Amino acid sequence: MPRHHIRALLATMLAVALAACAAPQGGQDPQPAWLLVSDYVDGVVQVLSTEGDLDGLARETPLAIAGSGPCGVAVGPGDRLYVADYDGGEIVVFGLTTALAGGAPTPVATLTSASLSGPCGLAFDADGTLWVGDYSNDQVLAFRGVGSLTGTQNLTADVVLSAGGVGIEAWGGVIEILIDGAGRLWVADLFAWTITRIDGVRNLSGDHTGRVPDAQIVYETASAPPLGGDYTIADPYSMAVDAAGNLYVGNGFEGYVSRFDGAASFSGVVTPQPSAYLVASGIDFPYLVALDAEGALWVGNEDTVGRLLSPQSGSGVRDLTPTTTVTYSPSGYNDGGGMTFVPMPSGLGF
């Protein structure tokens, strides 16, 4: 997409895209898509876009964040983009069309809370409730009714949630969260090397510190990893969950993405071996992951993202060559942060 597209055209394209979140079928024209990557070091949300061919995704003008600490992004009700500003300890909100145009627009809202310290992962549920993974406080918080707020708002958390119980690893660095299409909350913990799943979070309210999760995947020594790998999960920076409930974990210090088939059905504390290790040729340490509308898996390291076809197939070590790669960060160093597609692919979230 040329960078000189006028905002009116962008708005029209976005409206069409949001009305057709599913992959094109039956001769439908390809729809525009955007991939947003939190670039913490550069203090921006990187914007990649295409008019339809996902292999044609290209970098556009990034969205500058005044607090300079973007650590997570999510699209919420009313076509608004929410950015977790880790350094500022707040959530900044933009009109989605304005945000996708890049530059340094003025936020329409800034959300603060006494409960927020180092917000990072963001997700919305089907009710439009904003869920925030707080890296510094080792908690997940929920804020209801944020979709129409403007200006600076100091909010009280409607839900305060942390993991506990016999044999459960307490959270020590909540880096990313997601809520899948079935309403299950997933939490990636960077320091504990765990992925935790809590079902039915829409029904929660109040204080749930020390809650026993439905499942927690704990790292284990890998039995048959790719060359140079050691663990089933290692420094998990991000996750993706497909519509079948399969989990993809982006490992910060291993050279592969771990795929756990049927993870939505796991129960209790488990230490499974991955169903597959996905190795992306040319992309070392792929700690960023996101699924697109055609089922391909995008993986990223500190400066480059690539597209892997058929990530759900096969087993064991799978050496895959990306069909396309894009340099998203010219500085060459991004310290974490999540990435997400706009519009959200059908069945993956809200």
Side-chain angles (χ1 to χ4, degrees):
M1 178 186 297
R3 296 183 183 180
H4 61 268
H5 269 183
I6 61 174
R7 187 163 294 176
L9 176 58
L10 180 63
T12 301
M13 293 169 63
L14 178 62
V16 172
L18 293 174
C21 293
Q25 298 179 4
Q28 295 180 5
D29 292 334
Q31 300 297 335
W34 292 261
L35 179 63
L36 305 181
V37 187
S38 298
D39 190 340
Y40 177 83
V41 171
D42 284 343
V44 300
V45 175
Q46 299 287 355
V47 179
L48 286 70
S49 74
T50 175
E51 293 184 356
D53 180 2
L54 286 163
D55 278 326
L57 211 64
R59 182 174 179 265
E60 308 291 348
T61 303
L63 170 67
I65 306 302
S68 299
C71 193
V73 290
V75 175
D79 293 344
R80 308 207 306 180
L81 182 71
Y82 293 71
V83 182
D85 178 2
Y86 175 85
D87 290 344
E90 59 193 17
I91 312 298
V92 288
V93 187
F94 303 89
L96 183 55
T97 300
T98 300
L100 294 177
T106 300
V108 298
T110 301
L111 310 181
T112 67
S113 173
S115 301
L116 282 178
S117 178
C120 212
L122 300 180
F124 279 88
D125 66 23
D127 296 326
T129 297
L130 172 63
W131 293 82
V132 182
D134 196 293
Y135 181 86
S136 298
N137 281 341
D138 308 323
Q139 295 176 329
V140 175
L141 310 169
F143 300 94
R144 295 193 167 97
V146 301
S148 60
L149 297 179
T150 58
T152 299
Q153 301 284 340
N154 188 12
L155 306 177
T156 299
D158 293 285
V159 180
V160 178
L161 177 64
S162 65
V166 176
I168 298 296
E169 291 283 346
W171 293 337
V174 176
I175 189 71
E176 190 183 35
I177 66 172
L178 66 82
I179 296 180
D180 66 20
R184 296 172 289 237
L185 171 70
W186 301 77
V187 180
D189 191 297
L190 183 63
F191 286 162
W193 290 16
T194 60
I195 306 294
T196 302
R197 197 193 80 234
I198 300 175
D199 302 345
V201 292
R202 289 171 61 192
N203 299 320
L204 299 182
S205 62
D207 188 349
H208 289 267
T209 55
R211 181 182 177 88
V212 177
D214 292 272
Q216 186 175 71
I217 304 173
V218 179
Y219 79 95
E220 180 61 275
T221 300
S223 61
L227 183 65
D230 296 299
Y231 299 102
T232 55
I233 297 174
D235 294 285
Y237 272 88
S238 68
M239 309 163 289
V241 177
D242 64 24
N246 303 317
L247 170 69
Y248 303 80
V249 180
N251 299 300
F253 293 103
E254 302 283 23
Y256 46 79
V257 173
S258 301
R259 193 190 80 215
F260 298 92
D261 293 352
S265 299
F266 290 172
S267 180
V269 178
V270 294
T271 56
Q273 293 292 314
S275 305
Y277 299 94
L278 307 181
V279 179
S281 176
I283 301 180
D284 55 347
F285 306 112
Y287 64 82
L288 297 173
V289 292
L291 289 159
D292 67 27
E294 295 176 4
L297 182 71
W298 287 77
V299 299
N301 58 15
E302 293 175 338
D303 60 4
T304 302
V305 292
R307 187 176 189 232
L308 306 181
L309 300 182
S310 303
Q312 72 282 358
S313 64
S315 60
V317 177
R318 296 196 62 209
D319 291 301
L320 302 173
T321 299
T323 57
T324 187
T325 59
V326 185
T327 299
Y328 73 84
S329 180
S331 71
Y333 182 71
N334 178 21
D335 185 17
M339 66 181 182
T340 188
F341 270 95
V342 179
M344 174 77 74
S346 179
L348 300 189
F350 304 97

